[in-house]
Amino acid sequence: MTNPPPPPHSRSEIGRRLKATRLALGLRARDLHHATGIGESAWSQYENGRRFPDLMQMLPFADRFGVPLDWIYRGIIGAVPFDLAQRILAQLGTPADAAGATAETPGDGPT
C-alpha cells in the first residue's frame, strides 16, 4: 500500500514548487535575495519544507517574477504564464498534459 501524496498546501509541496520555479527562472537563492529581500537561509528553508513561506515575503517574489500566489500556495498551474509553466513542469518532471497546463493566459476563458 502506498502513501497518498501530500496535500498541495503542505510545506513540502510548496517547497517543491518554489524550488522548481526558482530553477525554471534560472535563479539562485542569492539572486532572489537581491531581487526580493528574501534571505537565502529563509528561501532554503522554504524549499526544503522546513518553514512555511510567509505571504508578505512571497508577495515581492510573485510580483517581481510574475508567479501567481495560487501556484505557490495551492499548486494551481493554470494561472502561471505558459512559457514559465512549461519550464516549471519540466523541472518537476511532470508532463504538461498530465498537470492540466494550457496555453491560456490569465483572464482568458476556456478555448
Side-chain angles (χ1 to χ4, degrees):
M1 181 178 201
T2 61
N3 291 330
H9 57 276
S10 70
R11 285 189 320 219
S12 63
E13 285 300 297
I14 290 172
R16 188 170 156 262
R17 288 192 298 273
L18 286 173
K19 183 173 184 175
T21 302
R22 176 180 60 79
L23 294 172
L25 290 166
L27 300 171
R28 299 170 298 173
R30 179 177 308 155
D31 301 327
L32 287 171
H33 171 68
H34 291 298
T36 66
I38 299 171
E40 292 177 55
S41 175
W43 189 268
S44 174
Q45 290 176 17
Y46 298 155
E47 282 189 2
N48 292 306
R50 290 190 306 264
R51 185 171 161 191
F52 191 82
D54 179 79
L55 175 63
M56 296 310 290
Q57 288 194 313
M58 287 295 104
L59 284 172
F61 172 70
D63 290 344
R64 173 73 170 85
F65 297 104
V67 178
L69 293 173
D70 271 346
W71 167 244
I72 296 170
Y73 289 103
R74 298 171 61 202
I76 299 172
I77 193 81
V80 177
F82 184 74
D83 290 345
L84 177 57
Q86 296 300 306
R87 294 192 314 262
I88 291 170
L89 293 173
Q91 287 294 329
L92 291 171
T94 307
D97 54 345
T102 68
E104 295 177 32
T105 55
D108 285 350
T111 54

